[in-house]
Amino acid sequence: MLNNKDPEQFRESAYFSQFWSVLRQDTVALVSVNLFFALLGLTLLGYWIAPYSADQQFIGLELMPPSWNDQGQISHFFGTDDLGRDIFSRILSGFYYTVGSALAITLAIAIIGGVIGILAGAKKGSSFFILSHLFDTFLFTPILLIAIIIATLMEPSLPNAMLAIFLAMLPHFIHKIYQTTQQELKREYVVTLRLEGARFRDLVKEVILPNLTVIAVKELSHIFVIAVLDISALSFISLGAKSPTPEWGTMIRDSMELVYIAPWTVILPGLAIVFVILIITLLGNSIVRVLEKYRY
């Protein structure tokens, strides 16, 4: 039934398969995808490619400057901290904790929030109505504040910080998907398809999901960025990863007293956070641009 309709009325399944051919024509988008794959590689393999163990201490080499300083050594490219640990190795290992945690949060929100948002937008019932208004109360409170409140109710640890951030950001994504789903289902051609007996599963596959893609990419890239920042922030205020875990927020917290005598111990983990945020933002904006170009 759906295949007999004008293809301009909704996006077909080929929308996803042809996306890559359009992306390859956009240089910036292609570069951002490659950078993101490199980021994933560092997240999965950073611990293994690090020249030293994250906790290995080099006695007598404490607070060594980076290699570009006259007093630095190439064997410790980013220098060492106050315990003689190699900062370059700790940053590489930190990709797993900071970026990996943020990625896990983003994927969980995408799956759980997407399902709940679509179901809530498609079904009209008191339970979903109450759920929608309950989630609305979270939208007026800063995400980090909610995460801090939730994290304080649990023992400080990285998994608990991830759970707190997940619970803080989930309502925002559900609300966005819920609103977009309702808007799509109110379109005239969708109403016509439903009256003609189109199955809800087919509507989701052929109409809702393709039209949710741009909104979902925008929201998830934003969620990814916020998750990276909040994971680091909770660790920085001792509500997340504990020392000596090489999580970037923890590294910054442990080195704050050294900021004037060894600024690289604070600046370099901070630059790693900025580097990741730039890649994620560039990727999200590029994919949205490619998707919109393909659609129109």
Side-chain angles (χ1 to χ4, degrees):
M1 179 179 297
L2 292 176
N3 292 334
N4 295 328
K5 296 295 177 181
D6 186 353
E8 292 294 327
Q9 294 178 335
F10 55 85
R11 316 302 175 199
E12 300 179 351
S13 299
Y15 177 87
F16 297 101
S17 62
Q18 296 177 2
F19 164 74
W20 293 106
S21 62
V22 179
L23 183 142
R24 285 194 293 267
Q25 301 173 8
D26 190 314
T27 304
V28 176
L30 192 59
V31 170
S32 68
V33 171
N34 290 328
L35 287 174
F36 181 70
F37 283 136
L39 182 62
L40 290 180
L42 289 173
T43 302
L44 297 174
L45 304 175
Y47 176 83
W48 303 103
I49 64 177
Y52 309 105
S53 171
D55 298 327
Q56 184 176 352
Q57 299 181 13
F58 295 87
I59 308 300
L61 298 180
E62 294 85 354
L63 297 180
M64 175 182 290
S67 59
W68 52 85
N69 187 283
D70 293 337
Q71 299 177 350
Q73 296 180 7
I74 193 64
S75 58
H76 298 285
F77 189 65
F78 284 171
T80 60
D81 61 12
D82 57 331
L83 297 179
R85 297 173 298 189
D86 184 68
I87 294 178
F88 182 62
S89 298
R90 290 179 63 78
I91 289 178
L92 286 178
S93 300
F95 275 95
Y96 174 80
Y97 296 99
T98 304
V99 182
S101 299
L103 180 60
I105 292 171
T106 304
L107 292 176
I109 290 176
I111 297 172
I112 298 175
V115 171
I116 295 177
I118 291 175
L119 290 178
K123 303 293 182 179
K124 295 182 179 179
S126 58
S127 59
F128 288 109
F129 179 79
I130 295 173
L131 182 66
S132 173
H133 284 277
L134 178 63
F135 282 167
D136 285 347
T137 61
F138 284 84
L139 303 180
F140 299 99
T141 308
I143 292 175
L144 181 57
L145 179 58
I146 298 176
I148 291 175
I149 294 173
I150 297 174
T152 55
L153 301 176
M154 301 179 288
E155 180 183 356
S157 67
L158 184 57
N160 287 342
M162 293 172 60
L163 177 60
I165 296 169
F166 168 78
L167 294 176
M169 290 196 293
L170 181 62
H172 292 259
F173 187 68
I174 291 177
H175 185 266
K176 195 67 177 181
I177 298 300
Y178 167 79
Q179 284 189 327
T180 307
T181 301
Q182 282 199 326
Q183 292 174 1
E184 292 299 324
L185 291 178
K186 290 179 181 178
R187 295 182 182 274
E188 292 185 3
Y189 72 90
V190 178
V191 175
T192 302
L193 291 173
R194 298 182 73 174
L195 292 175
E196 291 180 357
R199 294 181 301 175
F200 176 70
R201 182 178 62 183
D202 292 332
L203 289 175
V204 170
K205 179 181 178 182
E206 302 290 348
V207 178
I208 296 177
L209 288 181
N211 287 285
L212 279 178
T213 304
V214 172
I215 298 297
V217 170
K218 286 181 180 179
E219 290 298 313
L220 290 175
S221 62
H222 177 69
I223 286 172
F224 202 162
V225 168
I226 297 299
V228 170
L229 289 173
D230 286 1
I231 284 288
S232 301
L234 289 181
S235 296
F236 182 78
I237 60 176
S238 301
L239 291 176
K242 299 179 180 179
S243 302
T245 304
E247 196 282 320
W248 295 338
T250 303
M251 292 175 62
I252 295 174
R253 181 195 68 206
D254 293 342
S255 301
M256 281 304 297
E257 296 180 355
L258 307 172
V259 66
Y260 293 111
I261 61 175
W264 60 88
T265 59
V266 175
I267 293 175
L268 293 176
L271 288 177
I273 296 174
V274 173
F275 170 74
V276 170
I277 290 174
L278 288 176
I279 290 179
I280 298 170
T281 303
L282 180 63
L283 177 70
N285 293 339
S286 298
I287 291 191
V288 167
R289 183 176 63 255
V290 171
L291 287 171
E292 290 179 342
K293 183 187 302 183
Y294 178 74
R295 291 176 64 182
Y296 302 109

